[in-house]
């Protein structure tokens, strides 16, 4: 059964200290990006000393 105890919230423990973040529960028209490259922008709510926040995530396709 995943995750073993030593990997509980491995994304948070190992990646956040290296300033790498992840997005969960991204929805919307995400299927329109299938097999394409895009610039991704994440715009979190403002706050002080927050560990997490809701974000508006947008994808910008390069000009053709």
């Amino acid at each position: 059964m995943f995750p073993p105890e030593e990997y509980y919230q491995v994304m948070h423990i190992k990646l956040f200290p290296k300033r790498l973040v992840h997005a969960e529960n991204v929805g919307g028209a995400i299927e329109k990006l299938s097999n394409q490259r895009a610039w991704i922008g994440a715009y979190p709510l403002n706050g002080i000393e927050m560990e997490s926040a809701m974000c508006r995530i947008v994808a910008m396709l390069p000009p053709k």
Side-chain angles (χ1 to χ4, degrees):
M1 181 176 173
F2 186 83
E5 286 298 318
E6 64 269 12
Y7 288 109
Y8 176 71
Q9 293 191 347
V10 68
M11 292 292 294
H12 301 262
I13 295 167
K14 297 207 182 263
L15 296 182
F16 284 178
K18 296 178 185 204
R19 301 182 60 89
L20 296 172
V21 297
H22 69 274
E24 299 172 346
N25 302 317
V26 176
I30 197 165
E31 69 277 355
K32 291 182 179 180
L33 291 175
S34 182
N35 276 341
Q36 295 187 58
R37 292 182 179 263
W39 288 284
I40 305 296
Y43 305 95
L45 294 174
N46 288 332
I48 298 172
E49 296 184 18
M50 294 171 49
E51 292 183 12
S52 64
M54 292 186 298
C55 286
R56 173 149 321 233
I57 298 179
V58 298
M60 296 159 276
L61 296 173
K64 294 190 176 207

